Amino acid sequence: AYEALTSLAARHGSPLPSAWGLPAELISIPVATFRDELVSRGIVDKEGKNPRARTSEIIDGLKVRGYAAEKDDRIWPIVKNAKPLGAE
């Protein structure tokens, strides 16, 4: 799920709203886009008992473990131990 999130953010992400006061380099995607990607990759079964609840469990798990953050229907990956662009 984390790889799906980072891949989507890299391909289709946009900066967070400046009004949120968060770093401009954070790139987010709509939660609905992430939900669709989880289904398309087979991580969530669209025909399963409750795919929306399963998606919420995955997102909550990513957030609890510090791999993602979410606000106002947008989600973005938290990159741990990353060097700033251009750093060696």
Side-chain angles (χ1 to χ4, degrees):
Y2 181 72
E3 194 280 325
L5 178 59
T6 56
S7 175
L8 272 176
R11 289 182 288 132
H12 303 291
S14 60
L16 297 173
S18 60
W20 290 0
L22 295 169
E25 62 271 7
L26 293 175
I27 302 297
S28 68
I29 57 169
V31 170
T33 302
F34 184 50
R35 184 180 303 119
D36 292 344
E37 184 73 4
L38 292 174
V39 169
S40 74
R41 289 181 180 224
I43 296 169
V44 171
D45 181 2
K46 184 179 179 180
E47 303 302 321
K49 184 176 179 183
N50 192 341
R52 192 171 200 88
R54 180 65 185 131
T55 300
S56 293
E57 290 172 2
I58 290 170
I59 290 172
D60 289 346
L62 289 170
K63 291 183 338 188
V64 165
R65 289 170 181 81
Y67 289 107
E70 177 187 19
K71 180 177 180 176
D72 294 346
D73 294 321
R74 300 207 55 90
I75 186 167
W76 59 96
I78 304 298
V79 181
K80 297 183 178 214
N81 300 321
K83 294 180 182 178
L85 291 175
E88 308 240 355

